[in-house]
Amino acid sequence: MTDLREARMSRAQFFRMMGGLAAAAAATAACSTKPQTTTAQGQQTATQLKFVGVADQKAAMDQLVAAYKQVKPGVSLTTTFAPTDQVQTSVRTQLGAGNAPDLHVVYPGDGSAMSMSQIAKAGLLADLSDQAWTQTIPTGFKPAFQNDGKTYMYSAGSSVIGAVYNTKAFQKAGIDAPPTTWTEFLAVCDKLKKAGITPIALGAQTPWVTQLITYALVPSTVYAKDPTFDDKQRAGQTSFAQSGWRQAMEMYLELQKRGFFNDNPNGTTFEQQTSMVATGKAAMAIQVSAVLPDFRKSATSPSDLSMFPVPGADSADQVWIPAGVVVGLGASAKGKNLAEAKAFIDFLGKQENINLWAKAISAIPLTQDASSTIDPAVQSFLPFTKDRAVPFMDQRWPNAEVQPVHFAVVQELLAGKIKIDDALKKMDEAYAK
Amino acid sequence: MTANIARGSLPSTARKPWGRFSSLSPSWVFALPALLVYAAVVLYPSLAGMVYAFTDWSGIGEDKSFVGLANLTAMLHDEQAMGSIGNTLLLTVTIVAVQNGVGLLLALGVHVKLRSRAVLRVVFFAPVVVSPVMVAFLWKYIYNPDPAAGLNGLLGTHIDWLGDPSLALWSIAGTVVWQYAGYSMVIFLAGLEGIPPELHEAAMIDGAGTWQRFRYVTWPLLAPSLTINLMLSTIGGLKLFDQVFAATNGGPGYATETLSTVLYKQAFVFGKFGYSTAIALVLALFVAAVSMVQLYYLRNREVAQ
C-alpha cells in the first residue's frame, strides 16, 4: 500500500498524462459541437430544423413531419416533446440564452410565460403575416394569434371546455339527455348521486385542472351579460370581485357542498380523474376537449364518452361557452434557418394539414372546408361557437401571475381555507401587478 | 507503517523531479486543472448570474434595467416568499431530526452481527439511488386519497395525504425521510465500523451496560459522522425542490411552497428572472450561513479518537 506514496513520476510521464487528458477533453469538445446545421456551403447535406413542443402536440406533429418529408426531402425536422412545465423551463431558458430551437411551442394570446404576446414583445418570434393562411384567421381569434396586428403564432384550431361524460353511466342513472340549464345540471348530478355514481370527478391536485370549472361557468355568468368585460377590466373599470366571477365561484362551491365531487379532490390527480370517468366510477369531468383522446384511451370502448356544454345559466339562451385557440407553435426570430422554419409553418397552414392536426386532438379546425371533420363529441358545441363563445380567460390577462393564483385559490377554497372574497381579492391583486 | 517513513524521507532522498519548481508544493499544481474547471463552470457562472438579482430582467429579450435592492425589499413584502421560508424551515427541521434519528437506529440495527445484515443494508440504502422525482411520483400513488388504495388501504384510514393543506407538508417530509434515511444510515455505519472494539471491551470490563456504552463510547465517537449527516440533511432540506415539485407543485394553495419552488415559479412561470435570482441569492447566503455555524459548533464537539 505504500508504493503509491513513494511513486515518482518522471517529467515525461507527467506530460504524457496531461497530454492524454487534453486529448480526451478536445475529443469531448469536438463531439459536443458536431451537430451543426449547414446553410452556407453545404447544399449536399440536408437542412436540419429543431422543434420543441408540448406532449399534446406529438400525435399531430409526428404525422405532419412525416408528410413534410415527402414534400421537402431536403429538410429534416427533429422533434422533442415534454410536459408543459418542462417545456416552459427549457424553451424559456434557451430563448433567454439566445439559442432557441428553430420552431417551438407558443401559447395563444397573453397571460403565460410562453405566450405569444410575451415572447413577441421580446422580439423573439418571427412575423408570419405574409403567409396566406393568416388572412383567414377568424376575427374573434385574432387576439390569440396577433400582437400589434402581426401574426406570430400558428394554431390548427380551437378546443372547448365542457363536461366529458360517460354515456353508460348516464344511462344507468336513467338520464336520456344532457342538461341545458344550471337547474337541470344540478338535477342530473343529484340523480347520478342517488344511483351511486360520483357525479363529477375532479382532479384538483393537478393545478391546471382546478381552473376548468370556473372557466366553464364564467362565459355564462360574466361574458353573456357583458361581452366587453375584458376591455373594461383592462381599463380598471371592473374587477373579478365586482363581476360574475363571484357567482361562478359560488356555483363551483355549491357543487362541492352538495357532494357532487369525488372525495378529496385536492388529493386527486388528472390521471385519476380520467380513469374515474373512463371506467364509469364517475359520470363526468369538466375538461377541455383536447384531452378527449386521453379519456378514450382509458375507456373500454371509445364511444362510451361524449361531451356537452356546461350550462352556467338558468335560461338556455344565456348559456355561453369557453372556446380557446389550442396551443400552437412559432418560429424563432433569431434562428439560423428562419426561411425553412417559416416554410414549414406555411405548410402547416394548408387546409388539409389544419384538418389533420385538428382531428388528432378533437379540435374544431381553424378554417373549414368540405374535407374537415369535427369530432362527434364536440358537435353539440358548434351552435355556440359563432356568437356565444369566449376565448379561455387567461388569454386576455395582462401577466403570467393571475392564472397560477387562480389555481391556488381554487385549491384553498376546496380545502375550506379561505372564503370567496379572499380568493377574488387575491386574483385582483395579481391582475394589478 | 512504512508510509510515514517514506513520506518523511522523501524530500532528502528523492531525485527532485520538479526541478526549479521544487519550492512550489506539488499538491497545488495537481489541483490547478480542477480549480480552473471549477472556476470556469461553477464560480464564474454563479457570480455572473448574481448580477441579475439587481435587475428586472424577464428571462428573455435584451430589455433589462438596474433596480438596485428593489428585488430584495419586494421579497420582504411577498406573502408567498415569506410563507415559503416558514415551510422550508419546518421541512428542514423535521427532515434533519427524523431522517438522522431513523438513520442512526437503522445503522445500530444493521451493525450488530446479524446473518441478514448485508441484505438489510442494501434494502435500506436502495431508495437513495432512485431519482427523487421518481420517488415522489411513486409516493403520489401511495398517498392516493381513495380509502381502498395505497397507504389508506393499508392503514384502513381515509386521509387526504397530499390534498389536505395542513397535512401535505408532513407527507412530503415522510417521502424525503423514507428515501434518505438509508443515506444517513450508511454514514453512521461507517462511523460505527471505525470505533475500535477495544474501547467497547474496556468499557464492558469496567461494568458499563449497553446504554452506557452507547452514551459514553459510541455516541462521542460518532461525532464526525453526525457532523456530516446533520450538514448534508440541512442543506438538502433547505434547497428541497424535486419532491415538492413532483408531489404537489407547492399546493394545495401555497401549503407546501418552499423557497426553491417559489424561485422556480418566479423565473419560469411568472417570467420574473431578476426577482427569482434575488430569492436564489438569499437562499444561497442562508444555506452558507447555516452550514458554517453548524460546522463550527459540531466540529467543536468532535473528540479525537
Side-chain angles (χ1 to χ4, degrees):
Chain A
M1 280 306 293
T2 56
D3 7 338
L4 264 180
R5 292 230 185 261
E6 286 177 290
R8 270 180 259 140
M9 199 191 277
S10 73
R11 201 172 307 170
Q13 273 173 319
F14 176 77
F15 285 129
R16 266 206 297 279
M17 223 171 85
M18 291 296 127
L21 263 180
T28 326
C31 282
S32 63
T33 52
K34 209 176 72 185
Q36 283 238 336
T37 53
T38 46
T39 40
Q41 82 277 42
Q43 286 304 325
Q44 71 276 29
T45 25
T47 308
Q48 284 186 18
L49 289 178
K50 260 188 88 174
F51 169 75
V52 179
V54 291
D56 322 355
Q57 298 178 312
K58 190 173 186 324
M61 273 300 272
D62 282 352
Q63 296 178 48
L64 287 162
V65 166
Y68 197 56
K69 224 174 181 155
Q70 308 293 320
V71 182
K72 243 191 180 176
V75 176
S76 81
L77 241 150
T78 27
T79 55
T80 17
F81 301 93
T84 312
D85 296 329
Q86 283 158 42
V87 166
Q88 224 162 34
T89 317
S90 62
V91 179
R92 251 189 95 88
T93 310
Q94 288 173 314
L95 283 168
N99 55 1
D102 305 289
L103 295 155
H104 61 80
V105 57
V106 176
Y107 287 83
D110 203 338
S112 87
M114 278 300 288
S115 65
M116 182 274 304
S117 290
Q118 308 248 336
I119 315 173
K121 275 181 208 153
L124 297 172
L125 279 178
D127 183 4
L128 307 170
S129 307
D130 56 355
Q131 303 194 352
W133 66 271
T134 62
Q135 304 307 315
T136 59
I137 300 172
T139 321
F141 286 150
K142 278 184 179 159
F145 288 80
Q146 297 181 343
N147 191 43
D148 285 336
K150 287 179 189 159
T151 304
Y152 291 102
M153 186 192 82
Y154 167 84
S155 172
S158 57
S159 55
V160 292
I161 296 174
V164 176
Y165 72 107
N166 186 311
T167 48
K168 285 203 182 125
F170 268 51
Q171 276 165 22
K172 210 174 120 192
I175 303 156
D176 355 286
T180 55
T181 66
W182 180 247
T183 318
E184 279 177 37
F185 183 75
L186 294 178
V188 160
C189 290
D190 214 34
K191 240 178 171 175
L192 286 161
K193 201 182 168 196
K194 289 203 177 111
I197 304 167
T198 304
I200 304 171
L202 176 59
Q205 212 227 10
T206 305
W208 61 267
V209 175
T210 57
Q211 66 189 336
L212 298 171
I213 294 183
T214 4
Y215 277 23
L217 298 171
V218 160
S220 305
T221 65
V222 177
Y223 297 87
K225 292 167 187 154
D226 183 3
T228 61
F229 174 78
D230 287 331
D231 299 321
K232 287 189 180 149
Q233 194 182 19
R234 282 246 174 173
Q237 292 160 359
T238 185
S239 66
F240 291 118
Q242 294 163 359
S243 69
W245 271 84
R246 180 180 300 275
Q247 198 193 339
M249 292 221 173
E250 281 163 1
M251 290 157 88
Y252 199 149
L253 292 188
E254 188 182 355
L255 294 175
Q256 187 190 30
K257 214 174 77 195
R258 293 190 179 214
F260 292 161
F261 295 145
N262 46 296
D263 286 341
N264 305 321
N266 270 345
T268 308
T269 61
F270 165 65
E271 290 78 13
Q272 289 159 351
Q273 175 191 40
T274 314
S275 92
M276 283 165 86
V277 179
T279 57
K281 226 174 114 182
M284 55 184 152
I286 316 295
Q287 264 296 356
V288 54
S289 58
V291 297
L292 259 175
D294 293 282
F295 280 82
R296 288 183 173 139
K297 246 185 281 168
S298 348
T300 39
S301 154
S303 61
D304 289 356
L305 295 161
S306 190
M307 280 187 86
F308 65 83
V310 177
D314 255 332
S315 72
D317 58 338
Q318 282 298 302
V319 173
W320 281 39
I321 60 150
V325 169
V326 296
V327 54
L329 59 96
S332 166
K334 299 190 173 156
K336 285 187 209 111
N337 303 311
L338 184 55
E340 285 299 345
K342 281 175 79 172
F344 178 68
I345 294 184
D346 199 40
F347 168 77
L348 296 180
K350 289 188 178 160
Q351 185 62 48
E352 70 260 32
N353 296 329
I354 288 180
N355 289 344
L356 197 152
W357 188 314
K359 195 177 170 198
I361 53 167
S362 309
I364 300 165
L366 184 69
T367 49
Q368 290 149 30
D369 67 359
S371 64
S372 301
T373 50
I374 289 171
D375 196 302
V378 298
Q379 290 285 357
S380 57
F381 292 82
L382 291 180
F384 293 86
T385 49
K386 204 154 182 210
D387 53 1
R388 284 191 288 156
V390 265
F392 298 156
M393 288 72 231
D394 52 279
Q395 294 181 7
R396 292 293 309 275
W397 288 341
N399 63 52
E401 284 192 52
V402 190
Q403 195 177 20
V405 167
H406 181 212
F407 299 163
V409 295
V410 169
Q411 287 181 332
E412 290 184 315
L413 284 170
L414 290 171
K417 289 240 331 182
I418 58 168
K419 298 260 177 298
I420 290 176
D421 280 333
D422 309 318
L424 295 169
K425 194 172 152 243
K426 281 186 184 179
M427 287 178 66
D428 277 324
E429 282 168 4
Y431 190 95
K433 275 187 188 172
Chain B
M1 293 192 291
T2 48
N4 287 333
I5 305 162
R7 205 187 304 166
S9 57
L10 188 67
S12 54
T13 54
R15 183 173 57 90
K16 284 184 184 146
W18 299 100
R20 60 201 168 87
F21 292 111
S22 61
S23 61
L24 199 64
S25 161
S27 61
W28 273 103
V29 179
F30 281 119
L32 208 59
L35 280 177
L36 284 177
V37 172
Y38 181 74
V41 303
V42 179
L43 283 184
Y44 172 71
S46 307
L47 294 174
M50 264 167 57
V51 175
Y52 291 111
F54 307 100
T55 67
D56 62 355
W57 192 40
S58 70
I60 53 175
E62 306 293 326
D63 210 13
K64 57 173 170 279
S65 48
F66 188 71
V67 294
L69 297 176
N71 284 331
L72 294 171
T73 47
M75 195 177 161
L76 293 176
H77 302 290
D78 183 344
E79 216 179 300
Q80 212 183 326
M82 294 320 271
S84 74
I85 292 181
N87 288 342
T88 310
L89 290 177
L90 261 180
L91 263 177
T92 306
V93 171
T94 314
I95 289 170
V96 168
V98 181
Q99 180 187 318
N100 290 308
V102 173
L104 179 60
L105 290 176
L106 289 177
L108 291 169
V110 297
H111 185 55
V112 295
K113 286 196 172 57
L114 274 177
R115 191 192 280 264
S116 57
R117 71 176 182 174
V119 177
L120 286 175
R121 286 176 184 188
V122 172
V123 168
F124 293 139
F125 188 71
V128 179
V129 300
V130 183
S131 132
V133 176
M134 283 312 301
V135 168
F137 276 120
L138 288 176
W139 275 85
K140 247 171 122 165
Y141 282 94
I142 296 173
Y143 283 143
N144 192 330
D146 188 340
L151 195 55
N152 277 332
L154 199 69
L155 301 174
T157 50
H158 193 170
I159 298 170
D160 191 3
W161 300 98
L162 290 170
D164 181 346
S166 51
L167 195 67
L169 198 66
W170 309 115
S171 303
I172 290 178
T175 61
V176 178
V177 168
W178 177 83
Q179 180 169 22
Y180 289 113
Y183 194 68
S184 297
M185 174 196 81
V186 166
I187 295 174
F188 280 129
L189 202 55
L192 288 174
E193 306 274 349
I195 298 173
E198 303 94 85
L199 294 178
H200 280 288
E201 281 164 22
M204 275 205 284
I205 290 166
D206 288 344
T210 315
W211 167 249
Q212 282 169 317
R213 271 189 290 135
F214 173 77
R215 174 68 189 83
Y216 296 106
V217 179
T218 312
W219 182 241
L221 291 176
L222 267 184
S225 311
L226 188 69
T227 307
I228 284 290
N229 263 333
L230 289 184
M231 281 200 50
L232 289 179
S233 52
T234 306
I235 294 170
L238 288 174
K239 65 184 180 70
L240 197 67
F241 176 79
D242 325 31
Q243 290 90 342
V244 180
F245 187 72
T248 62
N249 195 9
Y254 302 105
T256 55
E257 211 80 81
T258 67
L259 264 181
S260 303
T261 60
V262 167
L263 80 87
Y264 164 82
K265 283 183 185 170
Q266 288 292 346
F268 296 107
V269 182
F270 302 163
K272 290 185 169 177
F273 219 88
Y275 182 50
S276 155
T277 315
I279 299 178
L281 188 62
V282 169
L283 176 64
L285 292 176
F286 190 65
V287 171
V290 169
S291 327
M292 237 111 87
V293 170
Q294 217 177 22
L295 190 64
Y296 178 77
Y297 280 104
L298 290 170
R299 280 273 182 226
N300 276 350
R301 68 174 284 281
E302 285 178 17
V303 287
Q305 203 165 294

